[in-house]
Amino acid sequence: DAKTTQPPSMDCAEGRAANLPCNHSTISGNEYVYWYRQIHSQGPQYIIHGLKNNETNEMASLIITEDRKSSTLILPHATLRDTAVYYCIVRVSHQGGSEKLVFGKGTKLTVNP
Amino acid sequence: NAGVTQTPKFRILKIGQSMTLQCTQDMNHNYMYWYRQDPGMGLKLIYYSVGAGITDKGEVPNGYNVSRSTTEDFPLRLELAAPSQTSVYFCASRGRTGGVSNQPQHFGDGTRLSIL
């Protein structure tokens, strides 16, 4: 199973871009990279996912390196409400066609005023 | 949009009691999941279901049971509550598009369970 490595914590100034790195050096060719976040006491919130190409949606951008061994989640203009734990997850295929998400400890992002 | 709804939000049980955590989704998703999250840790998969009538064990199934009689509902049963089951429980669901199952999981807001 591909594992991910993230820094335990990061700080960012309000209004600036937050760049959250993730290493997934053992990722397989058909595995997607997913990003979720968890704001205190709430359920994990889906942010974005990608396979090879860079992706952008209304919440964030995902940059995946050409060798797919690492990725970066970019929050272009961080706000105080973006303070949360961010999880980088490689989707693990499971027998029977199901899947499970393996959550590590993530990165605690603190956005400062 | 209701999404994934979990009830109750909070519950305190005595050791040896039983209870059912409810989870329902209104997105017609085939796949549903139960996770637990202990303080300061990531989520661990308890059970999952790929469709009505089909369930399977995840990483930490001991002490729990599930059923999936309908597409919408996926209740989690604790038969003999133990202090080690004190945790926050999250239910999630996922759809499937065509032959590529890369749709993200959507989570409920969780049930906070304390066993005393």
Side-chain angles (χ1 to χ4, degrees), chain B residues 22-41:
Chain B
Q22 301 292 344
C23 175
T24 187
Q25 52 91 9
D26 61 359
M27 298 173 282
N28 199 32
H29 285 170
N30 292 327
Y31 300 116
M32 296 188 74
Y33 308 83
W34 274 106
Y35 294 88
R36 61 176 285 175
Q37 185 176 32
D38 298 330
M41 305 296 288

Side-chain angles (χ1 to χ4, degrees), chain B residues 2-97:
Chain B
V4 178
T5 303
Q6 293 184 239
T7 57
K9 294 189 184 301
F10 305 93
R11 185 72 184 269
I12 298 174
L13 284 181
K14 294 182 179 179
I15 295 172
Q17 286 186 320
S18 62
M19 79 163 291
T20 299
L21 282 66
Q22 301 292 344
C23 175
T24 187
Q25 52 91 9
D26 61 359
M27 298 173 282
N28 199 32
H29 285 170
N30 292 327
Y31 300 116
M32 296 188 74
Y33 308 83
W34 274 106
Y35 294 88
R36 61 176 285 175
Q37 185 176 32
D38 298 330
M41 305 296 288
L43 280 71
K44 293 184 179 180
L45 182 66
I46 305 173
Y47 270 96
Y48 66 93
S49 170
V50 301
I54 305 170
T55 63
D56 208 346
K57 297 177 180 179
E59 303 171 74
V60 289
N62 292 341
Y64 307 95
N65 280 299
V66 294
S67 60
R68 186 91 182 274
S69 58
T70 66
T71 298
E72 295 78 17
D73 300 307
F74 190 40
L76 177 71
R77 179 81 176 166
L78 281 72
E79 291 294 349
L80 291 172
S84 60
Q85 294 177 305
T86 293
S87 191
V88 182
Y89 292 84
F90 291 103
C91 179
S93 72
R94 175 174 72 84
R96 180 172 179 174
T97 302

Side-chain angles (χ1 to χ4, degrees), chain A residues 32 34 36 38 41-44 46 49 87 91 94-95 97-101 103-105, chain B residues 31 33 35 37 41-43 45 48 50 90 94 100-105 107-109 112:
Chain A
Y32 286 76
Y34 289 80
Y36 285 79
Q38 191 172 23
S41 78
Q42 297 181 17
Y46 165 74
H49 74 282
Y87 296 98
R91 184 176 74 95
H94 194 276
Q95 278 189 326
S98 68
E99 62 138 37
K100 62 179 181 179
L101 296 178
F103 285 78
K105 294 189 176 181
Chain B
Y31 300 116
Y33 308 83
Y35 294 88
Q37 185 176 32
M41 305 296 288
L43 280 71
L45 182 66
Y48 66 93
V50 301
F90 291 103
R94 175 174 72 84
V100 180
S101 55
N102 65 344
Q103 296 300 305
Q105 292 185 19
F107 287 80
D109 285 334
R112 284 144 188 82

Side-chain angles (χ1 to χ4, degrees), chain A residues 5-6 8 16 29 31 38 45 48-49 52 60 62 64 84 90 92 96 101 109:
Chain A
T5 303
Q6 298 177 254
R16 304 296 293 269
E31 289 181 318
Q38 191 172 23
Q45 178 187 22
I48 198 168
H49 74 282
K52 296 180 180 179
L62 174 61
I64 302 175
V90 173
V92 179
L101 296 178
L109 175 69

